[in-house]
Each structure stands twice: as C-alpha cells, then as structure tokens.
C-alpha cells in the first residue's frame, strides 16, 4: 500500500515537473524580430538587434515585413544578420517568409547559422559564397522543380563558389512548393541534444542525429533575385530555448575543427538522405517510435528486495515521463497545425464568401437581362401590331378611293378644243373688221387745210 501511495506521489510530482519542463520555451529577444506582428515597435525602418544590407539598395523595412528582394528591378540582393551570436546549444528558430513572382521567376532564399556570420558571407547565396563555417538552409527551385528545401554544411575548408557541383554537397532535402502561395510559409530549425531537424509548415523535412551546431554562431538570412526576379519577404524570425541561463561561448579552435570534421562526414547524397530519413522514422530509438522504450510487465513475486522495487519504480516513472513529454509535444504541434489550418480555412471561407457575393451580383445582372429581353419582346410585338394596323388602313383607303380617282384623272386629263376654236374664229373676225375699216378709210375723200 505504501508502495502504491509513493508511486502515485512520485508520478504526480514527476508529471508536473515534466510538463513544466516541456512548456519552458523562452524567447531569445536579441535573436528575434517580428514576433509581435511588427518589425519595429517604434515604427522605424530598422530591425532591432539586426543589421541589414543590400545591392543595389538596402532592403525596405515595412511595419510587418522586411522585403529582401523587391519585385523589380532584377539582379538584386538583400541580407539581414543578427548582431549577437547564438549562445545556446539547444534552440528552436522559426522563420516566416513569403516568395512571390512571375511564372518563370528566379531567385533563392538562404538561412544561415555561421561562425563569422556577416563577415564571411555578407549578401552571398550558397552558389556565390566562398569558404564559410556553419550551416546553410537553401529554398529555391533546384533542378526545375516547383520548390525544394536543402541543407548544406561546411567546416570552412570547401570553397562553394569554386566547387564544380555545389548541389551534390547537400546532406538533406525535401520538396516544397513555396512560390505564390498567398500566405507566409514557416521554416523551423530545431536542435536538441539528440537530433537536428528541419520542419516546413509543421511537417518534417529532414533530420539527422549526426549534426550539432555549436554555440557562438550567427543567424542570418540572405536572398538573391535573377533577371526575372522573385520578391522575398521576411515576416518574422523567432529564436527560443528551454533555458535562458544555459549560455555557452564559442568552443576552442581545436574542438571546433574536430566537431566540424564529424559534421562534414554527415554530408550525403540525395538518395542516401531520403533512405536515412525513412530509416530514422522506423529505426533507432532516438529518432524512431517515441514509445519504443516501454518496460515489459513483471510479476510481483519476482521483486524481492527494496532496491529492486526502487529500480522498477524509477524505470517506470522515467518511461512514463518520457511518454508524457512526447504526448505533450505532439499535442502542442497538433495544436499549432490546427491553428494554421483554421486560419487557412477561415481565409478559404472568406474567399468563398466573396465569390458568393459576386455570384449574387451575377444573379441580379441575369435578372436585369431577362427583364430587358422581356421588354424587347413586348416592344417587338407592339411594333408588329402597329405595322399591321397601318397596312390595313392603307389598303382600305386605296380600295375605297381608287375608282373615283381614275374618273377625276380622266376628266382632268381630257383635251379641250373649244377655246382653240374660239381663238381662231375671233382672230379671223378681227382681221376682217380691220380690212373693212381700212377700205372705208381709203375711199373717203381727203380733207385739205
């Protein structure tokens, strides 16, 4: 009975402590920006704790985003680097970005964690950088794909700009269509004591238990655009850690070189990367099933000493804590994924509402067209009736007046000879009278004075 009570008490204390530990993710302010929804709370065109640079112009800082490469002109570069190094060995870095451009746009986005940061990389991309020491995460359209996320490591000995095949140096990759999504995409880099992993929009892209970036490296983001440019926008970069007091300085040079050599051996080709990712999900105990450390049941009579009881209780409590921690993290990730899907669903519903509003306008327009067709049909019928009425009236008028019109025309057009005869006879009479007058005048005696 005491053992059961002690087990319950220890289980409760361990569960509470484990939940508190799982929830302890603290923001690293000097390595973060945009987590409040604004790049600069004071409204200035700067990013607190970061340095920005670009070619030919410095990237534009808006209220809620940083435009590394604008949509025009082409052949531009932009970069943002943290002023302080990352002093934590276990951390999580979230980068929200968006890339828009024409159908055949070109460009790439690079997320860096480098030992010398801005000094050795500046505005370079993975194809133009010389020697660097650290990690590079590249988002581009490699090989004509719709989009790809790839990881690169370098210990400072490889000159990427002079290398004949930079693409073959990637140690992990996954396909991701990132262009013209209309929403920000999220890249999450996570480093724990067991594994380094990269997640894209809440889904695992690739991971490796052979990679561990030491403390003292600088975060940075660079972007490059071609002749037909893509516009690269950064909304936020958030760095978190489980213990703000667990800061570390950069390791000594000898230890650093040894660590870099071990990490350089972890680089592999694409085919081996995908196979290793599949094996990581089903193989080892660290990166596989989180519940593969289940302790088998034991009979009570096999435990004969208090030491054995304590060991069995300790092992079972530890296994339970591991399972609870895994469950909590899965629930947290599912909650974040649910929130993102809820936002996407809300946006989709708003889009559907807008489309339905446009459809309502189309219904109104269709009703107006139907009404116009009805009016045109009625007008055509009225015109036909008017024409028929006018035709009947014309026929009746012509039929009733056509006979008398012919008689009147015949009478008016008949020739009249009476006047001509009168004129001829009258002229003859005048001639005869004039002749008689002349003869009488001639025979009368002349009078002289």
């Amino acid at each position: 009975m005491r053992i059961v009570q002690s087990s319950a008490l220890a289980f409760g204390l361990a569960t509470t402590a484990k939940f508190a530990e799982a929830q302890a993710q603290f923001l690293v302010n000097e390595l973060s920006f945009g987590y409040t929804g604004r790049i600069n709370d004071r409204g200035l065109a700067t990013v607190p704790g970061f340095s920005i640079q670009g070619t030919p112009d410095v990237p534009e800082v808006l209220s809620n985003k940083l435009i590394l490469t604008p949509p025009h002109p082409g052949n531009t570069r932009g970069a943002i680097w943290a002023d302080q190094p990352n002093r934590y060995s276990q951390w999580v870095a979230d980068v929200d970005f968006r890339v828009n451009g024409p159908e055949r746009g070109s460009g790439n986005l690079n997320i860096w964690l480098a030992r010398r940061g801005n000094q050795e990389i500046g505005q370079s991309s993975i194809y133009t950088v010389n020697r660097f020491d650290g990690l590079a995460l590249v988002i581009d359209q490699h090989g004509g794909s719709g989009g790809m996320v790839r990881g690169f490591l370098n210990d400072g000995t490889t000159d990427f700009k002079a290398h004949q095949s930079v693409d073959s140096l990637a140690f992990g990759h996954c396909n991701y269509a990132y262009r013209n999504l209309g929403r920000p995409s999220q890249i999450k880099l996570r480093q724990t004591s067991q594994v380094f992993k990269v997640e894209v929009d809440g889904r695992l892209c690739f991971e490796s238990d052979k990679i561990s970036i030491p403390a003292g490296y600088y975060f940075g983001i660079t972007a490059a655009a071609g002749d037909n440019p893509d516009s690269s926008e950064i909304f936020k970069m958030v760095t978190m850690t489980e213990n703000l007091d667990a800061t570390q300085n950069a390791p000594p040079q000898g230890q650093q070189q040894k660590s870099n050599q071990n990490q350089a051996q972890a680089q592999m080709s694409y085919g081996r990367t995908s196979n290793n990712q599949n094996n990581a999900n089903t193989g080892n105990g660290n990166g596989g099933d989180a519940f593969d450390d289940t302790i088998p049941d034991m009979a009570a009579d096999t435990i004969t000493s208090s030491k054995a009881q304590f060991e069995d209780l300790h092992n079972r409590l530890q296994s339970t804590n591991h399972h609870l921690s895994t469950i909590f993290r899965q629930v947290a990730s599912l909650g974040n994924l649910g929130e993102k899907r809820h936002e996407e669903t809300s946006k989709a519903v708003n889009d559907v509402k807008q489309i339905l509003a446009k459809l309502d306008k189309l219904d109104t327009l269709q009703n107006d067209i139907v009404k116009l067709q009805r009016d045109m049909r009625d007008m055509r019928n009225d015109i036909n009736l008017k024409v028929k009425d006018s035709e009947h009236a014309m026929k009746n008028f012509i039929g009733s007046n056509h006979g008398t019109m012919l008689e009147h025309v015949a009478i008016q057009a008949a020739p009249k000879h009476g006047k001509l005869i009168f004129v001829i006879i009258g002229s003859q009479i005048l001639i005869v009278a004039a002749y008689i007058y002349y003869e009488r005048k001639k025979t009368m005696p002349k009078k002289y004075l």
Side-chain angles (χ1 to χ4, degrees):
M1 189 66 172
R2 292 179 179 177
I3 294 176
V4 175
Q5 292 177 350
S6 301
S7 300
L9 180 59
F11 173 75
L13 293 175
T15 302
T16 304
K18 197 64 181 179
F19 271 105
E21 180 183 358
Q23 293 178 348
Q25 288 289 344
F26 298 99
L27 178 69
V28 183
N29 290 319
E30 62 270 18
L31 301 179
S32 304
F33 66 88
Y35 52 87
T36 62
R38 298 179 62 87
I39 300 296
N40 193 323
D41 293 334
R42 298 181 179 179
L44 302 178
T46 58
V47 182
F50 288 79
S51 300
I52 56 177
Q53 54 183 299
T55 302
D57 298 321
V58 177
E60 184 179 6
V61 180
L62 301 181
S63 61
N64 64 334
K65 62 183 177 181
L66 169 66
I67 303 177
L68 289 180
T69 54
H72 64 277
N75 297 318
T76 58
R77 293 182 179 273
I80 179 170
W81 285 96
D83 297 333
Q84 300 294 328
N86 176 28
R87 301 188 183 279
Y88 304 94
S89 60
Q90 299 183 28
W91 45 266
V92 177
D94 291 343
V95 177
D96 286 7
F97 70 96
R98 182 172 65 188
V99 177
N100 297 318
E103 181 178 359
R104 299 184 181 275
S106 60
N108 58 52
L109 188 69
N110 308 265
I111 302 175
W112 304 88
L113 185 55
R115 181 178 177 83
R116 299 182 62 189
N118 188 24
Q119 297 180 6
E120 60 185 0
I121 297 175
Q123 306 173 30
S124 301
S125 67
I126 195 64
Y127 296 104
T128 59
V129 67
N130 295 315
R131 290 179 173 85
F132 72 96
D133 184 359
L135 169 75
L137 197 66
V138 182
I139 302 100
D140 62 1
Q141 303 179 76
H142 168 65
S145 62
M148 185 174 291
V149 180
R150 295 176 294 161
F152 295 85
L153 284 173
N154 192 7
D155 58 357
T157 61
T158 303
D159 190 343
F160 274 52
K161 186 175 183 180
H163 199 277
Q164 297 179 354
S165 179
V166 174
D167 299 327
S168 63
L169 301 178
F171 69 89
H173 78 283
C174 67
N175 294 322
Y176 177 63
Y178 63 95
R179 300 179 70 251
N180 298 325
L181 296 180
R183 59 168 178 82
S185 301
Q186 184 186 68
I187 295 286
K188 179 177 289 186
L189 295 82
R190 184 190 301 273
Q191 178 170 290
T192 64
S193 58
Q194 292 85 18
V195 67
F196 174 85
K197 63 174 61 177
V198 175
E199 300 174 1
V200 180
D201 285 346
R203 297 181 180 180
L204 179 64
C205 180
F206 59 85
E207 63 180 356
S208 176
D209 57 355
K210 299 180 180 179
I211 298 173
S212 179
I213 308 299
Y217 282 45
Y218 290 84
F219 279 108
I221 304 174
T222 65
D227 294 333
N228 201 12
D230 279 341
S231 175
S232 299
E233 304 169 347
I234 307 298
F235 290 87
K236 73 174 182 179
M237 178 177 179
V238 178
T239 306
M240 295 179 292
T241 184
E242 294 182 355
N243 188 1
L244 291 175
D245 296 330
T247 59
Q248 300 178 9
N249 295 323
Q253 187 68 21
Q255 181 180 353
Q256 174 65 29
Q257 291 179 356
K258 182 177 180 180
S259 175
N260 290 336
Q261 291 175 0
N262 294 333
Q263 294 181 20
Q265 294 176 359
Q267 294 185 357
M268 55 198 72
S269 63
Y270 287 156
R272 289 181 294 170
T273 302
S274 59
N275 293 333
N276 288 341
Q277 290 177 7
N278 295 331
N279 294 335
N281 294 329
T282 58
N284 56 49
N286 293 333
D289 188 4
F291 302 98
D292 60 355
D293 58 346
T294 303
I295 300 176
D297 295 335
M298 297 179 61
D301 54 1
T302 60
I303 303 175
T304 59
S305 64
S306 60
K307 180 178 180 182
Q309 292 177 353
F310 179 78
E311 290 179 354
D312 181 69
L313 177 61
H314 172 75
N315 293 335
R316 293 185 183 279
L317 285 176
Q318 190 174 25
S319 176
T320 302
N321 292 339
H322 292 167
H323 293 170
L324 288 175
S325 176
T326 303
I327 291 173
F328 178 80
R329 291 178 180 175
Q330 291 292 336
V331 170
S333 62
L334 290 176
N336 294 332
L337 183 60
E339 291 179 358
K340 292 181 181 178
R341 290 181 177 176
H342 176 70
E343 292 178 358
E344 294 176 356
T345 304
S346 300
K347 292 180 180 178
V349 170
N350 292 331
D351 295 340
V352 172
K353 289 182 178 179
Q354 294 178 359
I355 294 174
L356 291 177
K358 294 180 180 179
L359 291 177
D360 293 339
K361 294 181 180 179
L362 290 178
D363 292 338
T364 304
L365 180 60
Q366 185 177 5
N367 294 332
D368 294 339
I369 293 175
V370 172
K371 183 178 179 181
L372 181 61
Q373 289 178 347
R374 190 184 304 112
D375 294 340
M376 293 293 293
R377 191 181 299 110
D378 295 340
M379 185 181 298
R380 184 179 62 184
N381 294 333
D382 293 340
I383 292 174
N384 291 333
L385 292 175
K386 294 293 184 181
V387 171
K388 288 181 181 179
D389 293 341
S390 300
E391 184 180 358
H392 290 311
M394 184 67 69
K395 287 182 179 180
N396 294 332
F397 177 78
I398 293 175
S400 60
N401 298 328
H402 187 64
T404 57
M405 185 179 296
L406 291 177
E407 294 177 358
H408 178 73
V409 171
I411 294 172
Q412 295 295 330
K416 298 180 180 181
H417 302 289
K419 292 181 179 181
L420 180 61
I421 295 172
F422 177 76
V423 170
I424 295 173
I425 294 174
S427 61
Q428 292 295 328
I429 292 173
L430 290 175
I431 292 172
V432 172
Y435 180 76
I436 294 173
Y437 177 76
Y438 175 73
E439 287 294 333
R440 285 182 180 181
K441 188 85 174 174
K442 185 178 179 182
T443 58
M444 288 179 66
K446 299 181 180 180
K447 296 179 179 181
Y448 298 96
L449 297 176

